[in-house]
Structures are given as C-alpha cells and as structure tokens.
Amino acid sequence: MRAFVVRKYKGPLQEVDVPEPVVGEHDVLVQVQAAGLNMLDEKIRAGEFKQILPYKLPQILGNDVAGTVIGVGPEVQEFALGDQVYARPDKGRIGTFAERIAVAETDLALKPASVSIEEAASLPLVALTAWQALVEKGNVQPGQRVLIHAGAGGVGTIAIQLAKHLGATVATTAGGGNADFVRELGADSVIDYRTQDFEQLLDGYDLVLDSLGGQNLEKSLRVLRPGGKAIGIAGPPDPAFAREVGLNPVLRLAIAGLSGKVRRQAKRLGVTYEFLFMRASGDQLREITALVDSGALRPVVGRVFDFDQTVQAVQSLEKGGIRGKAVVTRA
C-alpha cells in the first residue's frame, strides 16, 4: 500500500510502501478517495506537538478522509460495504495520506449526500473544531457576538457559517481581497488585518475563536466583555487540556507554565481562556452532515491536488493564500 510518511521530525514527507491497515473488531476499512490538508499535518511533521502527541515514527500523515467502505470488523453495526463515509480519525490513528485506512466506527459518519467526495474530505477536522469551539465550549446563543479570526481559512470559513446558524452576530478578520467572500459566508463585520487593528474597532464580544495565538490572542482578550471567553486552537495548551489527554505530572507543570501568562491576563480582565485540540467524533459529524445537507453549512475547497502531489500539497500550506481547504484526491 502506498502512503506518504514522515520518518523523522522536521524530515521530508516521502512516498513509501507500507503494510496494509490492521482492521480491529470495531474498525471500518476505508478506501481513501480524498484527504483534506491541514496546518496540523505540517506542524506534526515539524515536531511542534511531539511532547503532547508522541507519534511513533515513521508516521503516515493526514487528518481528514472521505472514501468508500471496503471492509468492516465483526462488531461493526452502523456501516456496510460500499457506504461513502468521512472522518477525522482519532489523534492516535491518523494517516489519511494513504490508499486505505482503518477508522474506528465511532469516529466515522456517512458523508453528506449533497456534496462531492472532495468537499466532504475538506470538512471533518475544521468542522469538528468549529463545533467543539462554538457549541461545546462556547455555548453560543442567539444574539451573542462572536469574533472569528482568519475567516477565509479552513476553520474560519466553517466557523463563520456555524456561528451565524447559531444566531450570533459575527465579526471576522481577513485580507481585504476576501472581504466580500467572508460576508457571503455570513460575517457581519470584516476587519482587514493588513490595514486595521481589530482591538481598536471591536468591544464587548462574548466569544473569540483564535487560530493565530501570540499577540493576536492577547489582543483578543481585550475585546471580550466581562465574563467572555477566548478559545485558542493555536495554543498555548492549558492545564485542562493536559489533564484531558492524560499527560504526566512533569508535562502538566510545563504546560501550565506555557499558558500561565495568557491565563493571568484573562483573569485580570475578568474573562477566560481555554485551549481546544479537537477530538474525533462520529456523532458530531452526523450533526454536521445534517447542517450541510440542509444548506446551513457549505464546504469551501480552494484547491485540489492529485494524490501523487501530496508532498507539494503539504508544502503549499506554508505559503497560505488558499480560501477554505486544500484537498488531495485519488478520483
């Protein structure tokens, strides 16, 4: 089986032959037809998460998949041969840049019927991130005000639509050339990050979804109302995340230190900061499928690469400039 593998952190992504996936009792074997590209793939390759995501190298990369069921474990109840499905595999079982992958039944869902296989592959990681930020952690309610950074990016394009569906008033940051595009997605206010300072223009927001970190996150705290919440997906990780993933006491202490500054700043301002590293969930994907098929959410695919171009596709992530998601396809 062909797959794209990283042999060492900061090493090149290489196409190699690997063993066929092992299909457990509760697993579904999927023929990969398309795989979404995420900055997470590049960060894993660069070793940025090696302390909290200790992958055993060599590691097949890829965190989004859409394809066809070609095998099921003996205990699988919900899927049958020939089903078209999509998933974000569990963080310990990634590897969608391959011809086939075994995915736990609980992480899988039938793909939305109204979209192409490439569009379906673009959705799982970013849509689950938006859902877990806005619905689970944010509990966004009608009439609230939500700021979503990088609105033309993978997470941003879905988060804007989901926040609008939940009844929020939505502001976003984007380049001037993407202003009309993000307004079409549902943004009520657009701040050109190249020429405007969102901190000077916004105030009293209930929730910020920050995908940039650093100074952008610190400024985001200051546009929140008292009691508001900033959710970061670019870091720094917080103690709650360290407990959730079962890190040892030494790493828990280190992570507490990493996020100490921003948590203290948040406390002084009367707001809160939470880190989100999204998790796989077939149940949530079924909720997302319903929203896609109803027209409330639409995937945004900015570029499609052939499977043989996976190395170049991952390299393209650093350059940016792609609206929504890039996808590799075997179709």
Side-chain angles (χ1 to χ4, degrees):
M1 181 181 76
R2 292 193 303 155
F4 286 87
V5 171
V6 61
R7 295 186 182 275
K8 63 179 180 179
Y9 292 122
K10 300 185 181 179
L13 190 62
Q14 300 174 316
E15 183 179 2
V16 300
D17 290 327
V18 298
E20 289 291 326
V22 176
V23 181
E25 289 188 347
H26 297 276
D27 290 343
V28 176
L29 183 62
V30 178
Q31 181 75 43
V32 178
Q33 293 175 263
L37 294 156
N38 298 282
M39 278 306 300
L40 179 59
D41 300 307
E42 172 58 20
K43 290 182 177 182
I44 292 171
R45 186 202 65 80
E48 292 188 27
F49 292 121
K50 62 184 177 181
Q51 295 302 321
I52 58 176
L53 295 175
Y55 289 113
K56 183 178 179 181
L57 302 180
Q59 172 66 53
I60 305 171
L61 294 185
N63 286 270
D64 282 320
V65 65
T68 302
V69 174
I70 57 172
V72 294
E75 298 299 321
V76 170
Q77 302 291 322
E78 299 296 326
F79 301 96
L81 300 183
D83 284 345
Q84 286 202 310
V85 294
Y86 72 148
R88 193 285 188 180
D90 181 75
K91 64 182 182 297
R93 301 184 66 180
I94 68 170
T96 64
F97 297 161
E99 293 181 295
R100 292 172 286 283
I101 185 172
V103 182
E105 179 180 24
T106 53
D107 297 339
L108 201 65
L110 296 174
K111 90 166 189 60
S114 60
V115 301
S116 69
I117 203 77
E118 292 83 10
E119 290 172 319
S122 76
L123 282 169
L125 187 142
V126 295
L128 288 170
T129 298
W131 183 278
Q132 290 166 22
L134 301 179
V135 177
E136 280 194 345
K137 285 183 175 287
N139 190 29
V140 171
Q141 299 296 312
Q144 290 189 322
R145 295 199 286 175
V146 175
L147 168 60
I148 295 164
H149 285 293
V155 173
T157 54
I158 300 301
I160 288 171
Q161 296 177 76
L162 181 57
K164 200 67 181 175
H165 172 74
L166 294 171
T169 297
V170 182
T172 191
T173 55
N178 282 318
D180 289 342
F181 167 67
V182 293
R183 286 193 182 97
E184 289 172 3
L185 294 176
D188 299 285
S189 302
V190 183
I191 296 89
D192 186 342
Y193 69 87
R194 294 190 180 97
T195 61
Q196 297 175 298
D197 183 350
F198 73 89
E199 185 185 359
Q200 302 302 316
L201 299 171
L202 304 177
D203 184 51
Y205 273 67
D206 298 280
L207 182 75
V208 178
L209 176 54
D210 175 69
S211 55
L212 302 172
Q215 287 189 337
N216 197 80
L217 173 58
E218 294 178 16
K219 292 169 64 175
S220 295
L221 298 175
R222 296 193 285 271
V223 307
L224 290 167
R225 63 165 176 79
K229 180 183 293 186
I231 298 173
I233 59 175
D238 61 6
F241 166 77
R243 291 191 299 271
E244 181 182 325
V245 298
L247 298 182
N248 65 52
V250 174
L251 284 177
R252 289 188 190 187
L253 186 62
I255 281 179
L258 285 174
S259 61
K261 179 182 177 182
V262 69
R263 289 186 291 112
R264 288 191 295 272
Q265 290 174 328
K267 186 175 182 179
R268 285 196 297 270
L269 293 165
V271 301
T272 57
Y273 164 72
E274 294 183 19
F275 175 71
L276 169 64
F277 191 93
M278 60 74 56
R279 70 184 189 282
S281 173
D283 287 341
Q284 291 179 357
L285 278 180
R286 280 184 276 278
E287 301 266 12
I288 290 161
T289 293
L291 292 178
V292 173
D293 284 339
S294 73
L297 292 182
R298 67 176 176 92
V300 178
V301 176
R303 188 170 179 186
V304 177
F305 296 85
D306 185 77
F307 180 75
D308 292 333
Q309 298 175 300
T310 299
V311 173
Q312 302 94 302
V314 173
Q315 291 170 342
S316 75
L317 296 176
E318 293 185 332
K319 300 176 184 177
I322 297 175
R323 284 180 176 177
K325 290 285 291 293
V327 173
V328 295
T329 180
R330 297 181 57 82

